[in-house]
């Protein structure tokens, strides 16, 4: 197919169309009226509206019609379409009557209640072949009953009454002398609902029209009554919304005989910007035959004092047919390579999507294989996100970048510990130490600092911050739970029954590990409360450094009876500016002990906080390692169950997945058929090029 996509649109363009040679000479006045009528009548009776396409162009239209019949537009593939729009009673049906050479339904009000696809094919046989296609049926129709058949089919599709429907009917007319065209006739635009019509009839009609005229491949045939102001027509307003330049809009002015005086000025002024120009026609009146109507139309534009002044290149149904054939041919030639490309791309995309879908499982062995493949994929994804820091599966979702998010949580934990109230050494400086020392007085050596006193203060401080590690381990497991659930959902999304049970088992596993982790962190906190120990040399270095300020603080506190003029605040290295007024009534010996105790606790507290952070980090890494490498097997055990029957749930496919698979299969079948259709016509075009060469 790719070899045909570069076809030159000009090679199958308007130059390849064989068109009946109409007389485009300027208006004449010399012959007598009777002689004129004879000439006109001779022309009308001796020629069809327009000759058929030659054998180069006819296959293109056939291909487009086959694609439309296959309903390829449902796959988002737009086809070149002549869309006929107009206000109610603008004369649309009469125009289509004349082009098709058959009597379509005509009445006051809305006579077209569904999109009517009219497929005209020049047919050399003297006997016309007409049939309707709708609701999967092909119904042959006698020419004399075509209007009745369309009305009955419309009632079947849209219901009895005056409501409308967006479900199309197709009328195929194979008849000698008709132009090779495919058009879509849409309901006439009305603003005021009549009895039996829904209140929102205008909105319904507008939505159908906009659906058909919006694609850039659509050719808009705008039917306007000669007696109205073109700029006020709803159909003009709608078409200008989607075709601002008018480059794909052709206007047909009907009922030319009803308002002939100003028609020439209206079509030459072009106040509404119709890019493809105008064609003026006369409507068939009453029970006129098509032949009679053609003769009357030709006579009107040749002899009428006002209408005869209009250029012959823009008057009459034959001219309209010729223009539509030319426009349609050019549009198909231009769009066909893009249609070929779009069909191929859509087909390839659907085939790839179907291949990515899980195969329907037919045995427990197949289900187990699929399940273990899912678990393996989940483990690998979690290793990337939570252990290795590889985020290629979620490049734009930073919330899934596990290693980075866990570091952020740990940094937040460390910051909160180091900046909490218990970590502020200047608050009530020495007050707690003095109180504990006084409560622990006993018969003992002076200046003896017992371990019990130190532990009492340590235990109080650890107790006050004990909730913080628990809070953060909860935060960590909340985050891990979210990542695990997201990964499990992603890898099991094709198995809805499995997805529910798998995520439940995954959540149970995370909850179990959360409880174990909380217990472990509580043990770590209790260990810090139970005893005090470190082999970290930083402790002694820090304590010695802090003790250098002892003499200065004792001197400035001045515990003697005369301390007037002494400072109320003292700067202590490592602590900053601290208040000392509350210390003046304590003895020098007690202050020395309290200061020593404070410095020991300050040095040791830094060790405790860092140990808590380090322990949390190591414990977290240990848990994550177990989760992504070992503990995921618990999900397998929970789902399979002790009897081994749990995995059988995978054999029941989700209705949504089954429906999606079936939809893709139907779409692929349709697109393959469409691809075959366009391949044949493109091969034919290529063969023309070879013959021409």
């Amino acid at each position: 197919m790719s070899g045909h996509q570069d076809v030159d649109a000009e090679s199958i363009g308007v130059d390849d169309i064989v068109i009946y040679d109409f007389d485009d000479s300027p208006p004449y006045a010399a012959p007598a009226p009777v002689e004129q009528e004879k000439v006109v009548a001779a022309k009308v009776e001796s020629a069809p509206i327009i000759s058929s396409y030659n054998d180069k162009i006819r296959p293109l239209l056939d291909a487009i019609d086959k694609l439309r019949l296959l309903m390829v537009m449902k796959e988002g593939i737009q086809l070149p379409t002549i869309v006929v729009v107009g206000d109610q009673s603008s004369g649309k049906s009469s125009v289509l009557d004349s082009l098709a050479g058959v009597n379509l339904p005509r009445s006051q009000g809305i006579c077209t209640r569904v999109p009517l696809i009219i497929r005209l094919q020049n047919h050399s046989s003297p006997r016309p072949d007409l049939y309707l296609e709708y609701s999967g049926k092909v119904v042959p129709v006698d020419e004399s009953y075509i209007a009745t058949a369309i009305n009955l089919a419309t009632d079947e599709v849209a219901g009895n009454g005056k409501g409308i429907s967006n479900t199309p009917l197709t009328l195929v007319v194979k008849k000698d002398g008709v132009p090779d065209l495919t058009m879509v006739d849409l309901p006439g635009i009305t603003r005021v609902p009549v009895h039996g019509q829904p209140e929102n009839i205008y909105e319904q009609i507008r939505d159908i029209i906009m659906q058909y005229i919006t694609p850039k491949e659509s050719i808009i045939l705008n039917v306007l009554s000669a007696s109205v102001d073109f700029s006020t027509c709803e159909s003009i307003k709608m078409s200008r919304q989607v075709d601002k330049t008018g480059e794909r809009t052709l206007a047909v002015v009907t009922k030319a005989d009803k308002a002939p005086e100003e028609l020439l000025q209206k079509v030459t002024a072009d106040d509404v910007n119709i890019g493809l120009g105008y064609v003026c026609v006369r409507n068939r009146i009453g029970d006129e035959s098509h032949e009679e109507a053609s003769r009357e139309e030709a006579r009107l534009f040749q002899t009428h004092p006002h209408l005869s002044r209009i250029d012959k290149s823009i008057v009459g149904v034959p001219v309209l047919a010729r223009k539509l054939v030319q426009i349609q041919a050019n549009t198909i030639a231009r769009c066909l390579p893009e249609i070929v490309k779009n069909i191929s791309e859509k087909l390839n995309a659907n085939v790839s999507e179907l291949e990515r879908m899980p195969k329907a499982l037919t045995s427990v062995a197949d289900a187990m294989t699929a399940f273990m493949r899912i678990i393996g994929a989940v483990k690998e994804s979690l290793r990337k996100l939570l252990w290795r820091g590889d985020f290629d599966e979620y490049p734009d979702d930073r919330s899934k970048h596990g290693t980075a998010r866990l570091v952020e949580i740990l940094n937040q934990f460390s910051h909160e510990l180091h900046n909490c109230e218990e970590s502020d050494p200047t608050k009530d400086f020495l007050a707690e130490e003095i109180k504990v020392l006084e409560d622990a007085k006993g018969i003992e050596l002076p200046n003896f600092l017992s371990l019990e006193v130190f532990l009492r203060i340590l235990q109080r401080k650890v107790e006050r911050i004990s909730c913080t590690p628990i809070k953060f381990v909860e935060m960590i497991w909340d985050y891990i739970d979210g990542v695990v659930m997201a990964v499990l959902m992603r890898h099991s999304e094709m198995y809805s029954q499995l997805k529910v049970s798998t995520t439940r088992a995954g959540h149970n596993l995370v909850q179990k590990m959360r409880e174990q982790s909380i217990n472990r962190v509580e043990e770590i906190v209790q260990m810090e409360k139970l005893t005090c120990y470190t082999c970290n040399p930083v402790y002694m270095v820090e304590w010695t450094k802090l003790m250098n300020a002892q003499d200065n603080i004792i001197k400035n506190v001045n515990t003697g009876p005369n301390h007037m003029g002494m400072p109320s605040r003292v700067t202590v290295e490592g602590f900053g500016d601290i208040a000392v007024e509350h210390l003046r009534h304590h003895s020098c010996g007690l202050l020395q002990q309290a200061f020593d105790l404070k410095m020991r606790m300050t040095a040791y507290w830094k060790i405790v906080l860092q140990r808590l952070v380090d322990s949390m980090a190591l414990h977290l890494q240990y848990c994550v390692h177990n989760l992504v490498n070992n503990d995921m097997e618990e999900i397998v055990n929970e789902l399979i169950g002790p009897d081994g029957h749990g995995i059988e749930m995978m054999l029941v496919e989700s209705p949504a997945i089954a429906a999606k698979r079936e939809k893709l299969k139907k779409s692929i079948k349709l697109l393959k058929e469409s691809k075959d259709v366009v391949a044949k016509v493109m091969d034919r075009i290529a063969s023309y090029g070879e013959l021409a060469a």
Side-chain angles (χ1 to χ4, degrees), residues 442-450 593:
I443 301 173
E444 58 189 12
L445 292 174
N447 296 327
F448 181 79
L449 184 61
S450 68
Q593 280 188 302

Side-chain angles (χ1 to χ4, degrees), residues 290-451:
H290 291 285
E291 292 76 14
E292 291 170 342
S294 296
R295 286 195 296 270
E296 288 301 319
E297 180 185 61
R299 182 182 298 110
L300 176 70
F301 288 110
Q302 287 286 354
T303 63
H304 191 281
H306 295 290
L307 299 179
S308 62
R309 297 166 55 201
I310 302 176
D311 194 305
K312 297 303 176 289
S313 65
I314 63 169
V315 298
V317 172
V319 170
L320 173 62
R322 180 175 63 186
K323 283 183 175 289
L324 288 174
V325 166
Q326 290 174 327
I327 293 168
Q328 181 180 247
N330 288 337
T331 304
I332 293 175
R334 185 182 72 249
C335 295
L336 193 59
E338 186 69 16
I339 292 171
V340 172
K341 175 185 174 185
N342 291 340
I343 290 174
S344 295
E345 289 179 350
K346 181 69 174 178
L347 176 60
N348 293 337
N350 284 0
V351 168
S352 297
E353 187 174 1
L354 183 62
E355 290 175 349
R356 288 195 302 270
M357 290 188 68
K359 300 294 185 290
L361 305 176
T362 58
S363 67
V364 173
D366 289 343
M368 177 60 78
T369 300
F371 177 62
M372 295 309 297
R373 185 169 60 249
I374 290 172
I375 294 298
V378 169
K379 289 172 68 174
E380 180 59 23
S381 292
L382 292 177
R383 286 191 192 102
K384 289 181 177 181
L385 298 175
L386 298 176
W387 187 256
R388 298 203 299 264
D390 182 353
F391 312 130
D392 62 327
E393 293 181 10
Y394 299 89
D396 300 319
D397 187 354
R398 297 187 71 253
S399 67
K400 302 297 188 300
H401 298 180
T403 53
R405 301 291 79 76
L406 291 175
V407 168
E408 289 177 358
I409 295 174
L410 278 172
N411 289 341
Q412 184 181 348
F413 171 58
S414 176
H415 177 80
E416 187 164 328
L417 280 181
H418 285 87
N419 291 275
C420 67
E421 188 175 343
E422 286 304 312
S423 299
D424 181 7
T426 65
K427 183 183 178 184
D428 297 330
F429 188 69
L430 301 187
E432 184 176 17
E433 287 77 11
I434 290 172
K435 184 178 184 304
V436 171
L437 286 168
E438 288 181 334
D439 291 343
K441 283 181 180 177
I443 301 173
E444 58 189 12
L445 292 174
N447 296 327
F448 181 79
L449 184 61
S450 68
L451 178 62

Side-chain angles (χ1 to χ4, degrees), residues 439-673:
D439 291 343
K441 283 181 180 177
I443 301 173
E444 58 189 12
L445 292 174
N447 296 327
F448 181 79
L449 184 61
S450 68
L451 178 62
E452 181 183 352
V453 171
F454 187 86
L455 281 177
R456 190 176 301 176
I457 294 178
L458 176 64
Q459 288 167 357
R460 290 178 181 177
K461 290 174 73 67
V462 173
E463 181 64 30
R464 290 177 192 135
I465 59 98
S466 61
C467 291
T468 302
I470 305 302
K471 181 181 73 173
F472 275 91
V473 81
E474 289 275 8
M475 187 183 301
I476 285 170
W477 283 107
D478 283 344
Y479 174 75
I480 292 176
D481 184 55
V483 173
V484 171
M485 292 303 104
V487 171
L488 281 170
M489 292 279 284
R490 176 169 175 251
H491 288 288
S492 62
E493 63 182 348
M494 295 299 183
Y495 302 96
S496 61
Q497 291 86 344
L498 178 67
K499 181 166 61 177
V500 174
S501 53
T502 302
T503 52
R504 183 181 64 246
H507 184 68
N508 291 341
L509 171 61
V510 172
Q511 288 301 107
K512 176 182 176 182
M513 298 187 72
R514 180 200 302 266
E515 292 174 5
Q516 294 174 348
S517 190
I518 290 173
N519 292 336
R520 176 58 180 160
V521 171
E522 287 177 343
E523 286 181 354
I524 292 173
V525 172
Q526 290 302 317
M527 285 189 291
E528 293 294 347
K529 290 169 63 176
L530 181 64
T531 187
C532 52
Y533 174 77
T534 182
C535 62
N536 192 333
V538 172
Y539 166 72
M540 288 301 298
V541 172
E542 184 70 13
W543 173 73
T544 302
K545 177 182 176 183
L546 293 171
M547 286 298 293
N548 289 334
Q550 184 179 41
D551 291 342
N552 181 55
I553 187 110
I554 298 301
K555 175 182 176 183
N556 281 282
V557 169
N558 186 16
T559 59
N562 182 17
H563 56 267
M564 297 298 294
M566 299 299 294
S568 61
R569 305 187 69 83
V570 176
T571 299
V572 178
E573 185 179 355
F575 292 84
D577 190 35
I578 59 174
V580 296
E581 192 66 36
H582 63 287
L583 303 176
R584 297 197 189 281
H585 61 280
H586 295 293
S587 67
C588 181
L590 181 60
L591 287 177
Q592 287 177 335
Q593 280 188 302
F595 188 87
D596 187 6
L597 181 58
K598 178 72 173 179
M599 298 307 109
R600 292 177 187 274
M601 183 56 66
T602 300
Y604 186 65
W605 188 244
K606 293 180 180 179
I607 300 294
V608 170
L609 296 183
Q610 192 58 52
R611 193 155 54 201
L612 284 173
V613 174
D614 290 346
S615 297
M616 181 81 80
L618 293 174
H619 173 67
L620 171 62
Q621 288 292 84
Y622 176 75
C623 291
V624 168
H625 178 271
N626 286 340
L627 172 66
V628 301
N629 291 291
N630 305 319
D631 294 338
M632 290 295 292
E633 303 305 325
E634 293 193 21
I635 296 180
V636 178
N637 297 333
E638 180 174 340
L639 288 185
I640 294 177
D643 53 5
H645 296 314
I647 202 67
E648 293 179 0
M649 69 180 70
M650 290 184 64
L651 298 177
V652 182
E653 188 171 48
S654 159
I657 296 300
K660 182 178 181 180
R661 178 183 285 109
E662 190 61 28
K663 181 180 178 181
L664 283 172
K665 286 181 178 179
K666 289 181 178 178
S667 175
I668 290 170
K669 180 176 181 293
L670 183 155
L671 290 167
K672 283 183 176 178
E673 292 176 0

Side-chain angles (χ1 to χ4, degrees), residues 119-191:
R119 203 158 71 231
L120 306 180
Q121 297 182 17
N122 188 66
H123 192 49
S124 58
S125 172
R127 184 180 180 84
D129 183 14
L130 294 88
Y131 52 89
L132 284 169
E133 297 173 348
Y134 63 98
S135 303
K137 298 184 293 186
V138 178
V139 181
V141 179
D142 187 87
E143 185 173 3
S144 59
Y145 293 103
I146 188 65
T148 301
I150 290 175
N151 286 332
L152 291 174
T154 298
D155 289 342
E156 183 175 333
V157 170
N160 296 322
K162 299 181 180 179
I164 64 171
S165 170
N166 199 11
T167 302
L169 303 176
T170 298
L171 170 65
V172 179
V173 178
K174 298 181 179 180
K175 188 176 181 180
D176 187 26
V178 300
D180 288 282
L181 290 171
T182 298
M183 301 169 288
V184 180
D185 182 26
L186 298 180
I189 304 166
T190 180
R191 276 197 170 275

Side-chain angles (χ1 to χ4, degrees), residues 1-8 340 344 682-683 686:
M1 289 298 295
S2 62
H4 303 311
Q5 291 180 1
D6 295 329
V7 61
D8 183 1
V340 172
S344 295
M682 296 301 277
D683 287 341

Side-chain angles (χ1 to χ4, degrees), residues 8-24:
D8 183 1
E10 293 182 359
S11 68
I12 52 174
V14 68
D15 292 339
D16 293 318
I17 303 174
V18 178
I19 300 173
Y20 188 84
D21 185 17
F22 294 97
D23 182 8
D24 290 338

